[in-house]
Amino acid sequence: MKIVLFISRIIVALVFVFSGIVKCIDPSGTAIKIDDYFVAWGLEVPFAISMMLSVAQSVVEFLVGALLLTRSWVKYVSWCALLFMILYTPLTLYIAIANPVSDCGCFGDAVKLSNWQTFFKNLVLLPMAILLVRDARSYKSSNIVRDSVSALVFATLAICVCISGTVDEPQLDFRPYSVGVNIPKAMEIPEDAAQPEYSTTFILEKNGQEKEFDEVNYPYNDATWHFVTSKTEVISEGYVPPIKDFALTDREDNVVTEELLHSIEPIVLAISPRLADVSEEHFQMLKELQDAARAAERRFFIVTATVDQMADFENKAQMGFDFLSADEIMLKTITRSNPGIIVLDEGTIVAKYHPDHIQNADLFGNPASAYLTYQRSLWERAIVGFGVSIFIFMILIINLLYKHKTK
């Protein structure tokens, strides 16, 4: 029984840690998925609410998993894990049946699970969580200081990662449009790739009665049957390339995808799914980028899904922009910020920036080198910031424990 409990704890803990950390890395992506659920259910919820739910869920999931892994505050986190499973198991069953969205988003973009796979995963974890709660009843409390420090360190780590993923692009990018990806190659389908399989059902009518036939029993030689309708179901999707929907159109409805992907000079794209959501500060930044691009004789485009807002955007700026249009879902996948800046060099994404970090980026000179320098400095700041946060919180905990001891 001890072996079963040990395996159950490790499995539940690792699933929660992984699920939580990939959401912390990309909190905006999780918020977009939560927003998709609200839209599918006909609810109009501000995106800020989705973002708060995303951060809360990400931090709590990671904290529960990490504390289970280190056997800290076992009685409490075991109940938290069970409550999660009690909530999400029936919810994922409903999602699998109703299918409001095609991907549950439980592991972000790191691992894609179908809705039924997600439900069966929860079905396996639920009895494990029950075992952990039963075992926790007999668990004697360990060192309070150790447990407190563990909770503090893990919570601080999760919050710092969430903040980093919110104020910048995700530092670990599991999306198909990550830096270094060559878009044309990611869209290729190998010659020996598995082909999609379909099943077609024909509905025919004879003497006022309708009957279904497939390709095998279709009455080819019986002219008394009359065709009514047909329905086709996908049995297997076959090979699906990492990128399948990248398409750019200019203002005259010309598809310019191939031209831009094979340009020998770097191209800067400002990705803005909705132009109306661009802040005043970022609006001014786009004007400056347009001027800088023209001065450097480089190509700079604003890519948006809101074609109807282009004219108002130009009137506000009192200058012309080079606009491209694209699918909104695709744009939200490429970058989490609005706008987000990416640089293409012969179809390869060599840089990706949040607009707040564009000032020191060499977009029109040597964008690849500038991006590597920027990433290195970003990681250094993140490590220092995390260390300082832990140090401050440790002092606070030691002070509180000392006061408690002297009372």
Side-chain angles (χ1 to χ4, degrees), residues 78-153:
S78 296
W79 271 107
C80 288
L82 179 58
L83 290 174
F84 261 98
M85 301 318 304
I86 290 174
L87 172 64
Y88 281 105
T89 301
L91 178 62
T92 52
L93 174 61
Y94 158 75
I95 292 172
I97 296 173
N99 197 35
V101 294
S102 59
D103 170 35
C104 70
C106 59
F107 294 136
D109 288 294
V111 178
K112 296 287 187 178
L113 295 180
S114 69
N115 291 334
W116 279 110
Q117 288 172 334
T118 302
F119 167 68
F120 290 128
K121 179 260 295 180
N122 290 341
L123 208 57
V124 172
L125 294 178
L126 178 59
M128 293 183 179
I130 294 173
L131 285 176
L132 294 182
V133 169
R134 291 184 61 185
D135 179 58
R137 295 175 182 173
S138 58
Y139 181 77
K140 295 181 180 180
S141 179
S142 60
N143 190 288
I144 295 178
V145 175
R146 184 190 74 88
D147 287 0
S148 300
V149 170
S150 297
L152 167 69
V153 171

Side-chain angles (χ1 to χ4, degrees), residues 260-271:
L260 298 183
L261 289 180
H262 294 92
S263 172
I264 60 175
E265 292 186 354
I267 295 174
V268 180
L269 302 179
I271 308 297

Side-chain angles (χ1 to χ4, degrees), residues 46 96 119 139 156 201 250 314:
F119 167 68
Y139 181 77
T156 303
T201 301
D250 64 17
E314 285 184 315

Side-chain angles (χ1 to χ4, degrees), residues 292-326:
R294 288 172 177 170
E297 297 184 347
R298 291 297 178 89
R299 305 178 76 180
F300 169 73
F301 299 92
I302 298 178
V303 189
T304 183
T306 51
V307 179
D308 57 322
Q309 297 174 9
M310 291 179 181
D312 291 339
F313 203 79
E314 285 184 315
N315 291 335
K316 179 182 177 182
Q318 295 184 347
M319 66 184 298
F321 286 104
D322 291 327
F323 281 108
L324 298 174
S325 61

Side-chain angles (χ1 to χ4, degrees), residues 333-364:
T333 304
I334 294 175
T335 178
R336 297 309 190 196
S337 51
N338 183 18
I341 310 298
I342 69 169
V343 184
L344 297 179
D345 190 353
E346 295 188 65
T348 298
I349 302 175
V350 297
K352 184 185 289 189
Y353 293 97
H354 187 282
D356 291 341
H357 303 289
I358 206 69
Q359 294 86 352
N360 299 322
D362 185 3
L363 298 179
F364 305 109

Side-chain angles (χ1 to χ4, degrees), residues 168-173 175 177-180 341-343 349-354 357-358 360-363 365-379:
D168 201 347
E169 287 292 311
Q171 295 307 300
L172 292 177
D173 196 348
R175 293 165 292 175
Y177 296 96
S178 59
V179 174
I341 310 298
I342 69 169
V343 184
I349 302 175
V350 297
K352 184 185 289 189
Y353 293 97
H354 187 282
H357 303 289
I358 206 69
N360 299 322
D362 185 3
L363 298 179
N366 192 338
S369 176
Y371 182 74
L372 290 175
T373 302
Y374 162 72
Q375 284 293 96
R376 185 164 55 249
S377 65
L378 194 67
W379 277 105

